[in-house]
Amino acid sequence: MALTEVYWDHHIPLPKLSPVQAKVTVAVVALLCFINSYDGEFVFDDSEAIINNKDLKPATPLSNIWRNDFWGTNLSSNSSHKSYRPLTVLTFRLNYLIAGGLHPVGFHVLNIILHAVISVLMIDVFAILIGGLYYDEKGWILNHAPKTSLLAAILFAAHPVHTESVAGVVGRADLLCALFFQLSFLTYCKAFNKGCDRDETFSVQWVVVSLMLCAAAMLCKEQGITVLGVNAAFDVLLICNVNVYELGHRLLFRKNPPDIREVLRMGLLKRLGLMSIGGLSMFYARWRIMGTGPPAFTEVDNPASFEENIFIRIVNYNYYYSLNAWLLLCPWWLCFDWSMGCVPLIKSATDWRVVWLLLLWSVLIGLINQALCSPDSQRRRTLTLGLVLLVVPFLPACNIFFRVGFVIAERVLYLSSAGYCLLLAYSIGHCSHRWIKYKKLTCVMLLALLSMHVVRCALRSHQWRSEQSLFSSALSVCPLNAKVHYNVGKNLADGGNTSAAVKYYREAVRLHPNYVHAMNNLGNILKEKNELTEAEELLSKAVSVQPDFAAAWMNLGIVQNSLRKFEAAEQSYWNAIRYRRKYPDCYYNLGRLYADLNRHVDALNAWRNATMLKPDHSLAWNNMVILLDNTGNLGQAELIGREALKLLPNDHTIMFSLANVLGKLQKYKESESFFLHALRINPKAASCHGNLAVLYHRWGKLELAKKHYELSLKLDPEAPGTRDNYNMLRRKLDQLKHSAP
């Protein structure tokens, strides 16, 4: 390769900075864009990957992260998502250990720092792809396109499509994958540093290190394997300087067959062989780890992939590609989820949206034509490698090799956006070179573009700070997305605003009539509002659509119990247990049904099952004590109560129930101790004051009884029986007072 400057570089409307200044500038831009997300909450998928993931907890063996998927489910389970990302989970675990718990600030800060580091490293990646691979005497990369690489890195640092990956903690997988992707590429480039080994055309050791970093990228996210494709393209196009168009033309027309001896002498086949062996080994290991096969996705996750007509399927896939391209070009309409009707299927060739497909492929064919046929070698190289960096990392998400579980996912564009930024920086440089007299206009337009991106990043990362703002922001982008309405409703319900939640749940069911989770949650709210008939209809439909929906079966049982349909309720509970054998809450509700039917032994057995499955199930323990107390089995009630308090030593409800039992057994001192302990935990419990007063009344400690009766009535003037007992005590005290000498 001849040592030449990139001819359009000095026309880029940016100041020429030193390498250190350039990297500091890019880091500052990256931090400026996303810094306001540092104190955000855990949102959306963070709940499953972080909050509910036991693999983060110090009590969980570290070896579990190598056996479980990203969400903490064993890979051999049929319910596993099969996303194997142990290195990402390991960083979550380290965050947990350092912060001493689930404090989101540390998680967010690390994400922001990672994005800044990746953006800085992009300068070196772009410098090589645009200006070629050269090293100085000290082994540092020489940048022959300083302005273009700086502009591309700034565009990357400030691209709003990255918000999901940076502001959402789950996006850590994309960030770590991108980091190891870059390191794998840069170490592959290091293999051609002649200062390392002058006797060989390349260093096998650095190629092996590159493969190891590729494996690390793959252990952060599956997309990491695509760095091998980028490395191979870089080797062929830049290291071996192969003109793909000329080579193809000669092979096709058998004219002047190419002399491949020079390429062989440079060791290309050896390097490609090493990468092929490494890549196949990684694929095999990943296949073995995945266990039972690929994950099972539903039609709502990716409707086009379930379309039987192959033509319609291909058309919709290409429409998805055009939408991804539009998000890179104009990242103003961003949404946390694009499934469930957000992007209606194209059903015929007369659909006007087909225009977007034609436009996408017209642009791509134009770029490919320039990349292959341009007489300008620098343009060919830059466009070809830019397209490679744009397309290759996107391949795992394109539905060609396997079905993916989404329609559009902004996070999968994190790496591909680097290729887009490279192409955009080249375009700006080319226009600046061609239209020198419009340099000021180009400068103003570039400044406006960067300013809009920075502002959009700041606004979007602010929306990712809480679920309420995140979900609400999606309503204007994807009003047809049932999941958006469901999540808004769920967020409102979790915040206690169930009346407002009903509206969004109903809209989710209207948009997607078979949305079982929306029906289940709406049914629960209607149950609490005592609108039992509609609740039963919704829950019955939910289990008819998805017969193995255990939670819906349990909730249906609760509603049927309230409607006094006892046999149907019992059957619903057993259906729930059949589909989820370890379901303590269902056993608890089944016990309540049996208690209502006076089937006391069955009730006790059900509650005992609940406590065996979940030893800290307070309600089940407490109900056993109360039932045994009410049926006169005071000795057994005492034993159960003491057993429960060994597991739940600070549970004031169990202390209260046990204290009542001990009082009836005339163990007044112990009973008093438990009542007082319960009141220290919950001093405003009127019933506890009232029952302690009854104990003192029986015990003969009348002044203490009077004190606690008064406290109980102060907290709850309508407490049943307390005022009568208090009046009885006052009469007795008056009698004692008058009878005293």
Side-chain angles (χ1 to χ4, degrees):
M1 295 177 295
L3 185 63
T4 57
E5 294 287 342
V6 175
Y7 64 85
W8 67 78
D9 188 70
H10 66 280
H11 294 291
I12 295 281
L14 286 178
K16 189 171 182 178
L17 304 178
S18 70
V20 173
Q21 289 173 328
K23 289 177 180 179
V24 169
T25 301
V26 171
V28 169
V29 171
L31 294 173
L32 184 65
C33 288
F34 299 105
I35 193 66
N36 64 342
S37 67
Y38 84 95
D39 60 345
E41 304 169 1
F42 290 122
V43 297
F44 195 38
D45 286 340
D46 296 345
S47 298
E48 292 302 316
I50 309 295
I51 298 173
N52 299 329
N53 192 344
K54 293 181 180 179
D55 289 346
L56 271 64
K57 311 295 172 60
T60 305
L62 189 61
S63 59
N64 276 25
I65 68 172
W66 303 100
R67 293 196 295 266
N68 296 342
D69 67 14
F70 185 55
W71 313 94
T73 304
N74 193 287
L75 283 161
S76 62
S77 170
N78 290 330
S79 61
S80 170
H81 199 273
K82 309 299 182 185
S83 47
Y84 187 62
R85 302 164 190 175
L87 292 187
T88 303
V89 178
L90 182 61
T91 66
F92 292 154
R93 186 165 175 137
L94 289 173
N95 267 127
Y96 186 100
L97 288 172
I98 292 169
L102 290 172
H103 305 293
V105 172
F107 289 83
H108 284 295
V109 167
L110 183 53
N111 271 26
I112 296 167
I113 292 171
L114 282 171
H115 175 63
V117 171
I118 292 162
S119 300
V120 168
L121 285 175
M122 278 298 176
I123 297 177
D124 289 336
V125 173
F126 291 141
I128 294 169
L129 296 178
I130 299 168
L133 179 61
Y134 303 99
Y135 290 95
D136 61 15
E137 298 80 8
K138 296 181 180 179
W140 294 100
I141 294 172
L142 289 172
N143 190 345
H144 290 298
K147 289 187 177 182
T148 312
S149 59
L150 172 61
L151 175 58
I154 290 173
L155 290 168
F156 179 86
H159 203 297
V161 84
H162 297 159
T163 311
E164 181 176 355
S165 296
V166 182
V169 177
V170 167
R172 177 81 57 82
D174 301 279
L175 298 172
L176 289 172
C177 175
L179 179 61
F180 285 111
F181 183 104
Q182 291 175 311
L183 294 175
S184 177
F185 174 75
L186 292 172
T187 52
Y188 190 79
C189 295
K190 196 75 175 173
F192 304 100
N193 183 357
K194 298 301 190 296
C196 296
D197 190 341
R198 297 184 182 275
D199 298 326
E200 297 287 341
T201 56
F202 71 98
S203 167
V204 174
Q205 289 85 348
W206 281 114
V207 174
V208 172
V209 172
S210 175
L211 287 170
M212 292 172 65
L213 289 167
C214 171
M218 197 174 176
L219 290 173
C220 295
K221 190 175 182 180
E222 297 76 5
Q223 194 179 17
I225 191 72
T226 59
V227 72
L228 296 179
V230 174
N231 289 349
F234 159 79
D235 199 334
V236 171
L237 298 170
L238 205 148
I239 299 300
C240 297
N241 201 22
V242 174
N243 186 326
V244 177
Y245 175 76
E246 183 182 330
L247 177 63
H249 190 270
R250 288 183 177 183
L251 289 173
L252 186 63
F253 295 101
R254 301 181 182 276
K255 294 180 179 180
N256 300 321
D259 185 2
I260 63 170
R261 285 178 294 179
E262 179 64 19
V263 173
L264 293 175
R265 190 183 66 79
M266 295 177 70
L268 175 63
L269 291 182
K270 185 176 180 181
R271 294 190 296 275
L272 292 179
L274 285 171
M275 286 193 287
S276 298
I277 293 170
L280 289 172
S281 300
M282 291 178 216
F283 272 124
Y284 177 73
R286 181 71 179 80
W287 177 74
R288 289 296 302 270
I289 288 168
M290 195 157 49
T292 57
F297 297 115
T298 62
E299 187 173 352
V300 295
D301 296 321
N302 185 358
S305 66
F306 286 85
E307 181 59 51
E308 293 183 5
N309 188 311
I310 192 167
F311 172 76
I312 293 177
R313 195 187 314 162
I314 291 171
V315 166
N316 281 280
Y317 285 163
N318 281 272
Y319 180 56
Y320 295 165
Y321 305 157
S322 67
L323 289 176
N324 279 283
W326 180 249
L327 289 179
L328 291 175
L329 187 65
C330 184
W332 205 257
W333 292 274
L334 300 174
C335 185
F336 71 92
D337 185 88
W338 293 83
S339 64
M340 283 201 171
C342 189
V343 183
L345 285 177
I346 295 175
K347 293 287 189 178
S348 72
T350 58
D351 192 311
W352 70 270
R353 292 175 294 168
V354 173
V355 172
W356 291 110
L357 283 67
L358 300 175
L359 183 61
L360 171 69
W361 282 104
S362 297
V363 172
L364 283 177
I365 290 169
L367 285 171
I368 293 168
N369 178 62
Q370 286 292 308
L372 297 179
C373 305
S374 173
D376 185 339
S377 61
Q378 288 184 341
R379 179 186 296 178
R380 284 201 313 269
R381 181 183 65 214
T382 303
L383 288 177
T384 305
L385 291 173
L387 285 169
V388 166
L389 190 55
L390 173 69
V391 173
V392 171
F394 184 73
L395 289 176
C398 70
N399 284 293
I400 293 175
F401 304 106
F402 45 81
R403 177 185 290 157
V404 298
F406 51 83
V407 174
I408 297 171
E410 293 158 21
R411 60 188 177 275
V412 304
L413 293 173
Y414 190 82
L415 272 170
S416 290
S417 66
Y420 164 78
C421 293
L422 191 158
L423 294 172
L424 181 58
Y426 161 77
S427 301
I428 293 170
H430 181 69
C431 292
S432 301
H433 172 68
R434 291 285 299 273
W435 301 321
I436 297 175
K437 60 181 179 179
Y438 299 114
K439 186 174 181 179
K440 287 186 178 179
L441 178 61
T442 306
C443 186
V444 170
M445 291 177 66
L446 176 59
L447 183 61
L449 175 66
L450 290 174
S451 299
M452 285 193 296
H453 275 205
V454 170
V455 170
R456 180 59 178 139
C457 283
L459 290 173
R460 185 60 179 158
S461 59
H462 184 269
Q463 290 172 340
W464 272 84
R465 292 178 73 248
S466 71
E467 287 195 332
Q468 180 181 0
S469 58
L470 176 64
F471 297 154
S472 299
S473 70
L475 289 171
S476 60
V477 181
C478 284
L480 300 179
N481 188 337
K483 189 181 285 188
V484 168
H485 292 274
Y486 168 82
N487 279 290
V488 173
K490 186 174 185 300
N491 183 256
L492 288 167
D494 291 344
N497 192 354
T498 54
S499 298
V502 167
K503 168 190 168 185
Y504 290 99
Y505 281 141
R506 288 193 188 280
E507 181 64 9
V509 174
R510 186 189 72 80
L511 291 169
H512 187 69
N514 290 333
Y515 197 172
V516 292
H517 294 286
M519 287 187 276
N520 179 58
N521 288 13
L522 178 57
N524 276 341
I525 292 177
L526 295 175
K527 174 189 70 180
E528 298 301 323
K529 291 178 175 291
N530 208 36
E531 297 177 27
L532 300 176
T533 303
E534 187 181 359
E536 184 183 23
E537 290 174 1
L538 283 164
L539 292 166
S540 297
K541 184 178 179 182
V543 296
S544 67
V545 172
Q546 185 179 328
D548 63 346
F549 192 0
W553 276 116
M554 183 189 76
N555 291 325
L556 178 59
I558 295 171
V559 171
Q560 289 168 333
N561 191 7
S562 300
L563 289 168
R564 306 188 67 78
K565 297 179 180 180
F566 299 123
E567 290 185 11
E570 182 180 8
Q571 186 58 51
S572 294
Y573 287 139
W574 282 116
N575 283 338
I577 292 167
R578 181 175 61 173
Y579 292 117
R580 190 191 300 177
R581 296 189 180 281
K582 297 180 179 180
Y583 204 172
D585 287 341
C586 193
Y587 277 111
Y588 165 73
N589 284 299
L590 180 62
R592 289 183 59 190
L593 169 67
Y594 288 147
D596 290 343
L597 295 173
N598 293 322
R599 292 166 59 178
H600 297 152
V601 174
D602 289 335
L604 290 170
N605 287 335
W607 288 329
R608 174 57 79 178
N609 283 333
T611 59
M612 289 174 65
L613 292 170
K614 187 181 179 184
D616 62 347
H617 202 301
S618 171
L619 291 172
W621 284 113
N622 199 40
N623 278 17
M624 280 195 282
V625 176
I626 292 170
L627 179 60
L628 289 167
D629 180 2
N630 291 341
T631 55
N633 296 301
L634 299 179
Q636 194 175 353
E638 179 185 359
L639 292 175
I640 294 293
R642 292 185 188 279
E643 182 184 353
L645 285 177
K646 288 179 182 177
L647 297 166
L648 299 162
N650 294 314
D651 191 304
H652 62 88
T653 60
I654 296 175
M655 290 179 196
F656 172 75
S657 298
L658 179 59
N660 287 330
V661 171
L662 292 170
K664 292 178 182 178
L665 290 170
Q666 298 186 353
K667 298 181 179 181
Y668 297 138
K669 192 67 180 173
E670 271 193 286
S671 178
E672 177 194 31
S673 175
F674 282 116
F675 274 130
L676 292 174
H677 194 172
L679 285 169
R680 283 195 293 273
I681 297 171
N682 186 22
K684 293 185 178 181
S687 58
C688 198
H689 282 290
N691 284 25
L692 177 58
V694 171
L695 175 74
Y696 284 137
H697 199 158
R698 289 177 183 168
W699 200 356
K701 297 185 176 184
L702 303 184
E703 289 300 326
L704 285 172
K706 180 174 179 291
K707 170 188 171 184
H708 284 279
Y709 277 137
E710 289 171 351
L711 285 171
S712 177
L713 290 169
K714 183 179 179 181
L715 291 167
D716 182 9
E718 305 300 323
T722 303
R723 187 164 296 280
D724 292 340
N725 289 336
Y726 178 56
N727 290 333
M728 189 187 305
L729 175 65
R730 287 184 62 183
R731 288 195 295 271
K732 185 172 184 179
L733 287 172
D734 289 342
Q735 290 174 1
L736 291 172
K737 185 177 180 180
H738 287 103
S739 63

